[in-house]
Amino acid sequence: MTAASRPVALITGATRGIGRAIASELARTHHVIIGGRSRAAVDAVVAELGDASAFVADLAELSSIADRAAMLPELDVLVHSAGLIGPHEPIAEVNVDDLLQVFTVNVAAVHELTRITLPGLRARSGSVITINSGSGFTSHPNSSVYSASKFALRAWSDALRDEERAHGVRVTSIHPGRVATDMQQELRAMEGGEYREDDYLTPAAVAQAVRLAVETPRGGNIDELQIRPQ
Ligand SMILES: NC(=O)c1ccc[n+]([C@@H]2O[C@H](COP(=O)([O-])OP(=O)(O)OC[C@H]3O[C@@H](n4cnc5c(N)ncnc54)[C@H](OP(=O)(O)O)[C@@H]3O)[C@@H](O)[C@H]2O)c1
């Protein structure tokens, strides 16, 4: 398959962690567009993957997403992996600006980037994949902000799936348990617990779930997929 004939996948948060693993996985079959906010980090992944290009944007800057996205080609796959864990505190102590920052990246930026790329996704009968979390189903003390953002992301994905059915765009919500990434290290530090890599999913396992959603034959759709450490 030549680069020109390859389907195109944009993965946000592809400089590290789960997004990086999804980019490697999809690069086997797709031209991958690497999303990230650091030009140097994005270029390093692009250079490693070969048939790849850059999408450098700080997703916390909602007003700049349209400008940046104007240069994108039509997409076959849009994977939203960029995300923030936010504060690990009781609601009584959460600063509303911290809450807004998490909702901006985890929900509003997902909305804005999807809205802008939707005409191309419709034209190519594409797929939108949101990397959600077990926290999109359950909420615990100290995790109100992250869980609320992931509940919101699940509701948003459910609505998009139904709205886009008639336009041929498929929508999958993927819900991993704990995954061995920088975010998990950050969370374990905030929880005051040990980070034991072997206890967690590998980013590559989550990337396989994305592969499954992308490769499900037309006529079927993986609406929601939960993947947990074994
Ligand atoms: N790790 C887990 O246990 C786990 C479990 C379930 C779900 N998830 C979800 O999986 C997704 C990926 O998590 P991860 O563990 O791979 O996280 P990670 O290791 O912290 O990586 C986060 C990625 O998001 C990017 N990002 C953050 N803020 C951004 C912004 N303002 N603009 C553009 N990019 C931004 C980061 O880019 P920089 O390199 O520029 O910071 C990085 O590429 C998240 O949505 C997370 O909620 C994670």
Side-chain angles (χ1 to χ4, degrees):
M1 195 186 285
T2 64
S5 68
R6 288 178 140 214
V8 178
L10 167 61
I11 305 104
T12 68
T15 51
R16 296 187 281 129
I18 294 170
R20 175 71 181 81
I22 295 167
S24 289
E25 174 55 40
L26 292 184
R28 298 195 297 112
T29 47
H30 290 64
H31 173 85
V32 285
I33 305 179
I34 304 303
R37 59 187 152 175
S38 149
R39 163 62 67 183
V42 168
D43 283 350
V45 178
V46 167
E48 252 180 76
L49 294 181
D51 182 17
S53 52
F55 177 66
V56 179
D58 184 342
L59 298 173
E61 302 291 331
L62 292 178
S63 58
S64 70
I65 293 179
D67 276 355
R68 299 268 193 278
M71 307 304 289
L72 288 170
E74 287 183 346
L75 303 177
D76 296 276
V77 179
L78 171 59
V79 183
H80 295 285
S81 189
L84 295 177
I85 187 86
H88 186 75
E89 293 168 339
I91 290 169
E93 288 164 30
V94 170
N95 181 308
V96 72
D97 290 334
D98 293 339
L99 178 148
L100 287 173
Q101 190 193 18
V102 172
F103 269 76
T104 299
V105 175
N106 291 10
V107 185
V110 170
H111 167 85
E112 192 59 356
L113 187 54
T114 306
R115 188 184 64 75
I116 291 162
T117 56
L118 209 42
L121 284 157
R122 286 176 175 175
R124 297 176 79 113
S125 299
S127 298
V128 177
I129 298 174
T130 47
I131 305 301
N132 200 301
S133 170
S135 298
F137 295 109
T138 55
S139 185
H140 301 287
N142 298 325
S143 76
S144 63
V145 172
Y146 183 69
S147 289
S149 76
K150 293 298 191 182
F151 271 61
L153 180 62
R154 179 162 62 91
W156 181 94
S157 303
D158 286 350
L160 183 72
R161 182 180 308 113
D162 281 350
E163 289 170 5
E164 290 305 310
R165 214 177 290 282
H167 300 286
V169 176
R170 301 194 291 183
V171 179
T172 300
S173 184
I174 293 185
H175 297 259
R178 292 179 187 253
V179 187
T181 68
D182 295 345
M183 179 184 284
Q184 191 54 236
Q185 290 201 38
E186 195 187 334
L187 175 60
R188 292 304 289 148
M190 290 190 293
E191 289 173 336
E194 199 185 336
Y195 176 83
R196 292 201 311 224
E197 192 166 327
D198 291 349
D199 288 353
Y200 313 129
L201 287 164
T202 62
V206 182
Q208 283 302 317
V210 172
R211 164 73 64 195
L212 183 67
V214 168
E215 289 195 343
T216 295
R218 288 238 136 246
N221 185 62
I222 297 186
D223 290 359
E224 214 167 70
L225 191 154
Q226 296 193 47
I227 175 168
R228 300 263 158 95
Q230 204 176 346

